[in-house]
Amino acid sequence: MLFGEGDIQRAATRRFSPWKNGGGETAEIVVHPAGAGFADFDWRISTAKVVQSGPFSRFDGIDRSLTVLQGGPIRLRFEDGRDVDLAQGDPALVFAGDLGCAADLIGEALLDLNVMVRRPLRCRVDTVPQPVGPDLRARYVLALAPFAGLERLDLVEIDPAMSVDGPALWIDILG
């Protein structure tokens, strides 16, 4: 095993809470700083179960990244007139959280990965590790299948110099 057991955020232990609009549930995985709420986090990583169409919550000053992990697809309709379809296997979609958005579930219920960062921070979600620069604040790996002591959808923060070989999403917080 590459990681200490205490460092792994296990998918099996996640607790989901209902959304205010009833359209799904969310499970917070990591928030920085620890214990921060929606008004004062720097970044937040969570998964969400989307079971019906409906509006997304607005988050002023926040940029969001959305990746479909299973199920779907989903169509996001933004108030600027742009429509984006997002399916499992598609690259992460990054968008401003203060832009009005409604989601149309055009397939089966889905599970997605949400990464939210407070500006001027940025995030990058990719299936391969990107080069590390001086602006990297944190790097996480979300397992897409079991490897190196991780189960599917477990998340672990890793040292940027660490090499991990397995099917995963690499989540970089930049700023």
mmCIF file with all atom_site columns, all heavy atoms in Angstrom, residues 132-144:
data_model
loop_
_atom_site.group_PDB
_atom_site.id
_atom_site.type_symbol
_atom_site.label_atom_id
_atom_site.label_alt_id
_atom_site.label_comp_id
_atom_site.label_asym_id
_atom_site.label_entity_id
_atom_site.label_seq_id
_atom_site.pdbx_PDB_ins_code
_atom_site.Cartn_x
_atom_site.Cartn_y
_atom_site.Cartn_z
_atom_site.occupancy
_atom_site.B_iso_or_equiv
_atom_site.pdbx_formal_charge
_atom_site.auth_seq_id
_atom_site.auth_comp_id
_atom_site.auth_asym_id
_atom_site.auth_atom_id
_atom_site.pdbx_PDB_model_num
ATOM 1   N N   . VAL A 1 132 ? 3.799   19.953 -12.472 1.00 0.00 ? 132 VAL A N   1
ATOM 2   C CA  . VAL A 1 132 ? 3.669   20.695 -11.223 1.00 0.00 ? 132 VAL A CA  1
ATOM 3   C C   . VAL A 1 132 ? 4.428   22.005 -11.354 1.00 0.00 ? 132 VAL A C   1
ATOM 4   O O   . VAL A 1 132 ? 5.570   22.019 -11.797 1.00 0.00 ? 132 VAL A O   1
ATOM 5   C CB  . VAL A 1 132 ? 4.228   19.861 -10.051 1.00 0.00 ? 132 VAL A CB  1
ATOM 6   C CG1 . VAL A 1 132 ? 4.231   20.672 -8.774  1.00 0.00 ? 132 VAL A CG1 1
ATOM 7   C CG2 . VAL A 1 132 ? 3.430   18.583 -9.886  1.00 0.00 ? 132 VAL A CG2 1
ATOM 8   N N   . GLY A 1 133 ? 3.763   23.095 -10.975 1.00 0.00 ? 133 GLY A N   1
ATOM 9   C CA  . GLY A 1 133 ? 4.400   24.405 -10.980 1.00 0.00 ? 133 GLY A CA  1
ATOM 10  C C   . GLY A 1 133 ? 4.372   25.009 -9.597  1.00 0.00 ? 133 GLY A C   1
ATOM 11  O O   . GLY A 1 133 ? 3.826   24.419 -8.662  1.00 0.00 ? 133 GLY A O   1
ATOM 12  N N   . PRO A 1 134 ? 4.926   26.198 -9.455  1.00 0.00 ? 134 PRO A N   1
ATOM 13  C CA  . PRO A 1 134 ? 4.988   26.835 -8.135  1.00 0.00 ? 134 PRO A CA  1
ATOM 14  C C   . PRO A 1 134 ? 3.613   27.247 -7.603  1.00 0.00 ? 134 PRO A C   1
ATOM 15  O O   . PRO A 1 134 ? 3.487   27.549 -6.416  1.00 0.00 ? 134 PRO A O   1
ATOM 16  C CB  . PRO A 1 134 ? 5.881   28.057 -8.368  1.00 0.00 ? 134 PRO A CB  1
ATOM 17  C CG  . PRO A 1 134 ? 5.786   28.323 -9.832  1.00 0.00 ? 134 PRO A CG  1
ATOM 18  C CD  . PRO A 1 134 ? 5.562   26.995 -10.491 1.00 0.00 ? 134 PRO A CD  1
ATOM 19  N N   . ASP A 1 135 ? 2.586   27.233 -8.473  1.00 0.00 ? 135 ASP A N   1
ATOM 20  C CA  . ASP A 1 135 ? 1.259   27.645 -8.022  1.00 0.00 ? 135 ASP A CA  1
ATOM 21  C C   . ASP A 1 135 ? 0.414   26.484 -7.487  1.00 0.00 ? 135 ASP A C   1
ATOM 22  O O   . ASP A 1 135 ? -0.724  26.679 -7.077  1.00 0.00 ? 135 ASP A O   1
ATOM 23  C CB  . ASP A 1 135 ? 0.517   28.360 -9.155  1.00 0.00 ? 135 ASP A CB  1
ATOM 24  C CG  . ASP A 1 135 ? 0.303   27.492 -10.383 1.00 0.00 ? 135 ASP A CG  1
ATOM 25  O OD1 . ASP A 1 135 ? 0.990   26.453 -10.521 1.00 0.00 ? 135 ASP A OD1 1
ATOM 26  O OD2 . ASP A 1 135 ? -0.552  27.857 -11.214 1.00 0.00 ? 135 ASP A OD2 1
ATOM 27  N N   . LEU A 1 136 ? 0.972   25.261 -7.433  1.00 0.00 ? 136 LEU A N   1
ATOM 28  C CA  . LEU A 1 136 ? 0.222   24.114 -6.926  1.00 0.00 ? 136 LEU A CA  1
ATOM 29  C C   . LEU A 1 136 ? 0.067   24.227 -5.410  1.00 0.00 ? 136 LEU A C   1
ATOM 30  O O   . LEU A 1 136 ? 1.048   24.331 -4.686  1.00 0.00 ? 136 LEU A O   1
ATOM 31  C CB  . LEU A 1 136 ? 0.923   22.798 -7.278  1.00 0.00 ? 136 LEU A CB  1
ATOM 32  C CG  . LEU A 1 136 ? 0.182   21.538 -6.846  1.00 0.00 ? 136 LEU A CG  1
ATOM 33  C CD1 . LEU A 1 136 ? -1.072  21.330 -7.694  1.00 0.00 ? 136 LEU A CD1 1
ATOM 34  C CD2 . LEU A 1 136 ? 1.086   20.324 -6.943  1.00 0.00 ? 136 LEU A CD2 1
ATOM 35  N N   . ARG A 1 137 ? -1.185  24.230 -4.937  1.00 0.00 ? 137 ARG A N   1
ATOM 36  C CA  . ARG A 1 137 ? -1.476  24.292 -3.500  1.00 0.00 ? 137 ARG A CA  1
ATOM 37  C C   . ARG A 1 137 ? -1.710  22.901 -2.914  1.00 0.00 ? 137 ARG A C   1
ATOM 38  O O   . ARG A 1 137 ? -1.364  22.645 -1.776  1.00 0.00 ? 137 ARG A O   1
ATOM 39  C CB  . ARG A 1 137 ? -2.723  25.133 -3.251  1.00 0.00 ? 137 ARG A CB  1
ATOM 40  C CG  . ARG A 1 137 ? -2.613  26.565 -3.635  1.00 0.00 ? 137 ARG A CG  1
ATOM 41  C CD  . ARG A 1 137 ? -1.935  27.352 -2.503  1.00 0.00 ? 137 ARG A CD  1
ATOM 42  N NE  . ARG A 1 137 ? -2.050  28.761 -2.710  1.00 0.00 ? 137 ARG A NE  1
ATOM 43  C CZ  . ARG A 1 137 ? -2.989  29.523 -2.167  1.00 0.00 ? 137 ARG A CZ  1
ATOM 44  N NH1 . ARG A 1 137 ? -3.892  29.013 -1.396  1.00 0.00 ? 137 ARG A NH1 1
ATOM 45  N NH2 . ARG A 1 137 ? -3.003  30.814 -2.410  1.00 0.00 ? 137 ARG A NH2 1
ATOM 46  N N   . ALA A 1 138 ? -2.370  22.033 -3.697  1.00 0.00 ? 138 ALA A N   1
ATOM 47  C CA  . ALA A 1 138 ? -2.673  20.677 -3.221  1.00 0.00 ? 138 ALA A CA  1
ATOM 48  C C   . ALA A 1 138 ? -2.946  19.791 -4.417  1.00 0.00 ? 138 ALA A C   1
ATOM 49  O O   . ALA A 1 138 ? -3.432  20.260 -5.455  1.00 0.00 ? 138 ALA A O   1
ATOM 50  C CB  . ALA A 1 138 ? -3.878  20.689 -2.289  1.00 0.00 ? 138 ALA A CB  1
ATOM 51  N N   . ARG A 1 139 ? -2.628  18.495 -4.259  1.00 0.00 ? 139 ARG A N   1
ATOM 52  C CA  . ARG A 1 139 ? -2.908  17.510 -5.311  1.00 0.00 ? 139 ARG A CA  1
ATOM 53  C C   . ARG A 1 139 ? -3.583  16.314 -4.656  1.00 0.00 ? 139 ARG A C   1
ATOM 54  O O   . ARG A 1 139 ? -3.120  15.802 -3.642  1.00 0.00 ? 139 ARG A O   1
ATOM 55  C CB  . ARG A 1 139 ? -1.624  17.088 -6.014  1.00 0.00 ? 139 ARG A CB  1
ATOM 56  C CG  . ARG A 1 139 ? -1.852  15.948 -7.011  1.00 0.00 ? 139 ARG A CG  1
ATOM 57  C CD  . ARG A 1 139 ? -0.646  15.699 -7.881  1.00 0.00 ? 139 ARG A CD  1
ATOM 58  N NE  . ARG A 1 139 ? -0.740  16.588 -9.042  1.00 0.00 ? 139 ARG A NE  1
ATOM 59  C CZ  . ARG A 1 139 ? 0.146   16.624 -10.028 1.00 0.00 ? 139 ARG A CZ  1
ATOM 60  N NH1 . ARG A 1 139 ? 1.207   15.838 -9.989  1.00 0.00 ? 139 ARG A NH1 1
ATOM 61  N NH2 . ARG A 1 139 ? -0.017  17.430 -11.048 1.00 0.00 ? 139 ARG A NH2 1
ATOM 62  N N   . TYR A 1 140 ? -4.692  15.891 -5.284  1.00 0.00 ? 140 TYR A N   1
ATOM 63  C CA  . TYR A 1 140 ? -5.458  14.745 -4.810  1.00 0.00 ? 140 TYR A CA  1
ATOM 64  C C   . TYR A 1 140 ? -5.584  13.740 -5.946  1.00 0.00 ? 140 TYR A C   1
ATOM 65  O O   . TYR A 1 140 ? -5.550  14.106 -7.123  1.00 0.00 ? 140 TYR A O   1
ATOM 66  C CB  . TYR A 1 140 ? -6.867  15.160 -4.385  1.00 0.00 ? 140 TYR A CB  1
ATOM 67  C CG  . TYR A 1 140 ? -6.901  16.171 -3.264  1.00 0.00 ? 140 TYR A CG  1
ATOM 68  C CD1 . TYR A 1 140 ? -6.881  17.530 -3.528  1.00 0.00 ? 140 TYR A CD1 1
ATOM 69  C CD2 . TYR A 1 140 ? -6.978  15.748 -1.935  1.00 0.00 ? 140 TYR A CD2 1
ATOM 70  C CE1 . TYR A 1 140 ? -6.918  18.462 -2.493  1.00 0.00 ? 140 TYR A CE1 1
ATOM 71  C CE2 . TYR A 1 140 ? -7.023  16.672 -0.903  1.00 0.00 ? 140 TYR A CE2 1
ATOM 72  C CZ  . TYR A 1 140 ? -6.993  18.030 -1.185  1.00 0.00 ? 140 TYR A CZ  1
ATOM 73  O OH  . TYR A 1 140 ? -7.034  18.947 -0.168  1.00 0.00 ? 140 TYR A OH  1
ATOM 74  N N   . VAL A 1 141 ? -5.780  12.477 -5.572  1.00 0.00 ? 141 VAL A N   1
ATOM 75  C CA  . VAL A 1 141 ? -6.052  11.413 -6.531  1.00 0.00 ? 141 VAL A CA  1
ATOM 76  C C   . VAL A 1 141 ? -7.370  10.757 -6.124  1.00 0.00 ? 141 VAL A C   1
ATOM 77  O O   . VAL A 1 141 ? -7.545  10.376 -4.961  1.00 0.00 ? 141 VAL A O   1
ATOM 78  C CB  . VAL A 1 141 ? -4.911  10.372 -6.551  1.00 0.00 ? 141 VAL A CB  1
ATOM 79  C CG1 . VAL A 1 141 ? -5.294  9.163  -7.389  1.00 0.00 ? 141 VAL A CG1 1
ATOM 80  C CG2 . VAL A 1 141 ? -3.627  10.998 -7.082  1.00 0.00 ? 141 VAL A CG2 1
ATOM 81  N N   . LEU A 1 142 ? -8.296  10.643 -7.077  1.00 0.00 ? 142 LEU A N   1
ATOM 82  C CA  . LEU A 1 142 ? -9.563  9.936  -6.886  1.00 0.00 ? 142 LEU A CA  1
ATOM 83  C C   . LEU A 1 142 ? -9.491  8.659  -7.706  1.00 0.00 ? 142 LEU A C   1
ATOM 84  O O   . LEU A 1 142 ? -9.399  8.722  -8.941  1.00 0.00 ? 142 LEU A O   1
ATOM 85  C CB  . LEU A 1 142 ? -10.757 10.782 -7.340  1.00 0.00 ? 142 LEU A CB  1
ATOM 86  C CG  . LEU A 1 142 ? -12.116 10.119 -7.166  1.00 0.00 ? 142 LEU A CG  1
ATOM 87  C CD1 . LEU A 1 142 ? -12.590 10.269 -5.725  1.00 0.00 ? 142 LEU A CD1 1
ATOM 88  C CD2 . LEU A 1 142 ? -13.140 10.710 -8.119  1.00 0.00 ? 142 LEU A CD2 1
ATOM 89  N N   . ALA A 1 143 ? -9.504  7.512  -7.038  1.00 0.00 ? 143 ALA A N   1
ATOM 90  C CA  . ALA A 1 143 ? -9.380  6.227  -7.730  1.00 0.00 ? 143 ALA A CA  1
ATOM 91  C C   . ALA A 1 143 ? -10.636 5.931  -8.541  1.00 0.00 ? 143 ALA A C   1
ATOM 92  O O   . ALA A 1 143 ? -11.759 6.043  -8.038  1.00 0.00 ? 143 ALA A O   1
ATOM 93  C CB  . ALA A 1 143 ? -9.148  5.105  -6.719  1.00 0.00 ? 143 ALA A CB  1
ATOM 94  N N   . LEU A 1 144 ? -10.442 5.555  -9.800  1.00 0.00 ? 144 LEU A N   1
ATOM 95  C CA  . LEU A 1 144 ? -11.568 5.158  -10.660 1.00 0.00 ? 144 LEU A CA  1
ATOM 96  C C   . LEU A 1 144 ? -11.773 3.644  -10.660 1.00 0.00 ? 144 LEU A C   1
ATOM 97  O O   . LEU A 1 144 ? -12.783 3.153  -11.150 1.00 0.00 ? 144 LEU A O   1
ATOM 98  C CB  . LEU A 1 144 ? -11.350 5.668  -12.086 1.00 0.00 ? 144 LEU A CB  1
ATOM 99  C CG  . LEU A 1 144 ? -11.313 7.192  -12.213 1.00 0.00 ? 144 LEU A CG  1
ATOM 100 C CD1 . LEU A 1 144 ? -11.007 7.587  -13.655 1.00 0.00 ? 144 LEU A CD1 1
ATOM 101 C CD2 . LEU A 1 144 ? -12.626 7.813  -11.745 1.00 0.00 ? 144 LEU A CD2 1
#
